[in-house]
Amino acid sequence: MKVFNTSQIRQCDQYTVENDEISSIELMEKAALACFEWIKSQFSANYTYYVFCGKGNNGGDGLAIARLLLEENYKVETFVIQSSSNFSTDAQINFDKYPDSVSFLENDDFEIQQENKKIVIIDALFGTGLNKPLEGNTQKIIQKLNHIKGKKISIDIPSGLFSDSLPSEDQTIFKADVTLSFQFYKRAFLHVESAQYAGKIFILDIGLNSKFIQDEETNNYIISSKSVSDNFKPRDPFSHKGNYGKVALIGGSYGKIGSIALSTRAALKIGAGIVFTIAPNCGYSILQTLAPEAMFISGGDEKLITEIKISTEKTTIGIGPGLGKEKLTKVALEELLKSIQTPAVLDADALNIISENKSMLNLIPKNSIITPHPVEFARLFGDSKDSLEQCELAREMANKYNIIIVLKGHRTAVLTPEGKCYYNITGNAGMAKGGSGDILTGMITGLLAQGYAPQIAAQLGVYIHGKAGDYAAKKYSQEAMTAQDIIHRLPEVFLNIKK
């Protein structure tokens, strides 16, 4: 699924009007009807709906939604913000069609009966055309709405939020529980600083021109369930374990054997044919107990890895979880990187070691996958002012070093050497616990070993990882789920992909 910027979305609207025998007012009606049908599916007529509209096309959407609600006998109060601006052409048409009176707002002196708990506030004040922070009366109105209790829905984008950039700390933005966005994700929905205002996102298909969407170029995408299904390789009924790759997971140190154990179990559960674990000798009994299907190879010392003895030919390497940063371990990592000729997966302490000797970045094999969280990324490549800037820096570094960067976060992003960014929208806050990243390392390594191209292995890995986390949260709750529960729910993900 493509992520377009504001200009591209506007062009898509215009192209649809010019080529699909539909007028702009008819397209607005389709958008309003899609919102109305969603609202009707979620809330009953027992609610009172307060619809706040601007004078632009977003306000026209709001007026049309309010009219559709009234026609179904919903209780509706509609407000239009007073300003020197005239209504847009289509908003004027919907204002003229509105069958009831509206209240014009010059300031924040409106009243909403908060003792009635069944309240829905619909924000249709400002859409994607907004190009400067709110101020004056409009700022006061939204600040007041943000303090009122009730269900809050934004139409297309929360008022005050920009589609293609992140807000400043003091910027006033409507804080929605739900955003009903037309056809596309906005990039702002995918970064934590702005996503907090949008709430849960629902993408409503309003029939924009499919040819334009297919032909228009972008460097930003959503990893969709369709792309995962399209790239998934069913197992050959006549295959054997050698057909599904050989994995060597390297990590662990005294007190941190659990990290590499989770990676090992994840690689096994994702379908790798043969799995080796290279770890300190203190991990032998633990690993043979927790993952008896994997073979143990000594890392040369009782408590830490001092040597890595394995043929890297036809073996996919994943290294880092629980590794530690002892001097001999650093030497072992550097020697390993010098010997690898094929893509590998690097995470955690492998990245932390490299961050202390950045010349080692040049030793990472081409098309390898690194999986830093934001702090690890900053250690490697420097600080950024926000997550969007960090994502753009990751795009640059992926190109510079010819690697795939899995930048973990609220919406994990996969950055490729070609400059593409693939956002993952599966996953939840219950996964924000120790061990989740170790599991992702094992999963991506296992997929890479099975012959998936590195970029596809990274995309499938983060999607499946997040989806398993969603199933775990549904069964155990976000609070009670643990990293191991992600592994336990993988069967459900695969069964769903193969449907």
Side-chain angles (χ1 to χ4, degrees):
M1 181 188 295
K2 293 181 176 180
V3 178
F4 289 151
N5 61 32
T6 300
S7 175
Q8 289 172 307
I9 294 172
R10 193 173 294 120
Q11 291 172 45
C12 188
D13 288 345
Q14 187 62 34
Y15 188 95
T16 301
V17 169
E18 293 173 356
N19 292 274
D20 289 1
E21 298 183 352
I22 185 172
S23 66
S24 59
I25 189 64
E26 289 171 328
L27 189 60
M28 182 177 283
E29 189 73 9
K30 286 184 70 173
L33 184 60
C35 292
F36 168 69
E37 293 292 347
W38 186 93
I39 292 167
K40 190 167 68 168
S41 72
Q42 301 295 315
F43 302 102
S44 70
N46 294 326
Y47 282 80
T48 300
Y49 296 82
Y50 296 88
V51 186
F52 289 80
C53 304
K55 289 187 172 181
N57 283 345
N58 191 249
D61 294 329
L63 286 162
I65 292 166
R67 168 172 47 81
L68 291 167
L69 288 165
L70 276 174
E71 289 172 354
E72 291 278 333
N73 297 315
Y74 285 73
K75 292 173 283 187
V76 181
E77 290 190 35
T78 301
F79 302 85
V80 174
I81 196 166
Q82 186 65 280
S83 68
S84 58
S85 301
N86 294 322
F87 282 107
S88 69
T89 301
D90 290 340
Q92 181 70 59
I93 292 171
N94 270 313
F95 177 74
D96 293 339
K97 289 171 66 176
Y98 191 68
D100 200 354
S101 61
V102 303
S103 300
F104 280 92
L105 293 179
E106 294 188 2
N107 51 46
D108 61 348
D109 63 353
F110 62 91
E111 293 297 328
I112 291 177
Q113 301 301 317
Q114 294 188 67
E115 62 270 14
N116 177 8
K117 294 183 179 179
K118 291 195 170 183
I119 290 171
V120 176
I121 296 171
I122 298 176
D123 157 42
L125 288 166
F126 299 97
T128 58
L130 188 72
N131 57 18
K132 63 179 181 178
L134 300 177
E135 55 187 18
N137 287 331
T138 56
Q139 183 181 36
K140 291 177 182 177
I141 289 167
I142 286 181
Q143 287 172 342
K144 182 172 181 177
L145 287 173
N146 282 343
H147 284 95
I148 294 172
K149 293 181 179 179
K151 303 293 184 182
K152 297 175 183 176
I153 302 171
S154 282
I155 304 303
D156 202 30
I157 190 170
S159 290
L161 187 64
F162 304 138
S163 292
D164 306 320
S165 61
L166 303 187
S168 61
E169 286 186 14
D170 59 352
Q171 198 165 319
T172 297
I173 300 167
F174 183 82
K175 194 167 178 58
D177 299 305
V178 167
T179 296
L180 304 179
S181 186
F182 302 136
Q183 204 79 41
F184 309 106
Y185 274 86
K186 279 68 172 173
R187 202 167 178 209
F189 297 165
L190 302 164
H191 287 267
V192 64
E193 296 91 340
S194 45
Q196 60 180 304
Y197 296 101
K200 193 168 184 180
I201 308 295
F202 290 88
I203 304 298
L204 305 183
D205 187 343
I206 60 170
L208 295 182
N209 186 276
S210 58
K211 184 180 186 302
F212 179 94
I213 295 170
Q214 180 178 335
D215 293 346
E216 182 69 8
E217 295 292 330
T218 180
N219 285 325
N220 300 308
Y221 299 83
I222 299 291
I223 304 170
S224 66
S225 58
K226 183 180 185 305
S227 67
V228 170
S229 296
D230 288 347
N231 284 292
F232 178 73
K233 300 176 183 178
R235 291 171 91 87
D236 184 342
F238 302 102
S239 58
H240 55 81
K241 64 183 179 183
N243 297 122
Y244 299 104
K246 184 188 295 183
V247 167
L249 287 160
I250 306 164
S253 53
Y254 184 76
K256 299 178 183 177
I257 297 300
S259 298
I260 201 64
L262 288 170
S263 299
T264 301
R265 293 177 64 192
L268 290 163
K269 203 73 171 180
I270 206 75
I274 303 169
V275 178
F276 295 91
T277 308
I278 300 176
N281 295 331
C282 63
Y284 172 77
S285 296
I286 298 169
L287 286 159
Q288 291 286 271
T289 301
L290 292 178
E293 302 93 339
M295 288 171 276
F296 179 88
I297 296 176
S298 171
D301 188 82
E302 181 65 22
K303 294 186 176 182
L304 60 121
I305 289 177
T306 60
E307 61 183 20
I308 301 170
K309 291 185 176 180
I310 191 168
S311 171
T312 56
E313 187 178 355
K314 296 184 179 179
T315 301
T316 302
I317 303 293
I319 185 167
L323 187 66
K325 299 191 297 175
E326 297 296 330
K327 183 176 180 180
L328 291 175
T329 305
K330 294 178 181 179
V331 172
L333 172 62
E334 186 169 2
E335 291 302 313
L336 174 70
L337 291 178
K338 289 177 179 177
S339 70
I340 301 175
Q341 302 299 317
T342 55
V345 181
L346 288 82
D347 181 33
D349 280 336
L351 301 179
N352 292 328
I353 290 171
I354 293 171
S355 71
E356 295 175 359
N357 180 7
K358 292 185 174 58
S359 64
M360 290 176 65
L361 282 165
N362 297 302
L363 298 178
I364 299 175
K366 291 181 179 179
N367 290 311
S368 288
I369 302 163
I370 69 170
T371 61
H373 58 58
V375 174
E376 290 167 342
F377 180 89
R379 290 182 191 134
L380 283 166
F381 302 113
D383 293 329
S384 306
K385 69 178 181 180
D386 55 42
S387 67
L388 183 59
E389 184 177 272
Q390 189 173 66
C391 187
E392 291 308 306
L393 179 58
R395 197 193 302 265
E396 181 184 335
M397 293 299 103
N399 175 264
K400 179 178 180 178
Y401 292 103
N402 201 0
I403 57 177
I404 292 94
I405 299 178
V406 176
L407 183 57
K408 296 183 286 194
H410 165 71
R411 292 297 181 214
T412 292
V414 177
L415 292 307
T416 74
E418 296 77 24
K420 304 292 186 183
C421 174
Y422 296 87
Y423 288 100
N424 180 51
I425 58 172
T426 62
N428 60 84
M431 300 171 72
K433 295 174 182 175
S436 294
D438 304 319
I439 289 168
L440 179 62
T441 299
M443 290 172 60
I444 294 176
T445 308
L447 289 165
L448 191 59
Q450 291 175 66
Y452 288 98
Q455 295 183 24
I456 300 301
Q459 291 174 47
L460 291 182
V462 297
Y463 178 93
I464 294 170
H465 181 255
K467 197 69 174 175
D470 289 338
Y471 284 127
K474 185 175 181 180
K475 183 172 178 64
Y476 303 112
S477 80
Q478 291 185 13
E479 293 75 14
M481 67 176 284
T482 66
Q484 292 184 76
D485 294 323
I486 299 172
I487 298 173
H488 296 156
R489 309 326 294 181
L490 284 173
E492 294 172 61
V493 181
F494 282 118
L495 291 171
N496 186 267
I497 290 172
K498 292 191 286 188
K499 280 184 179 178

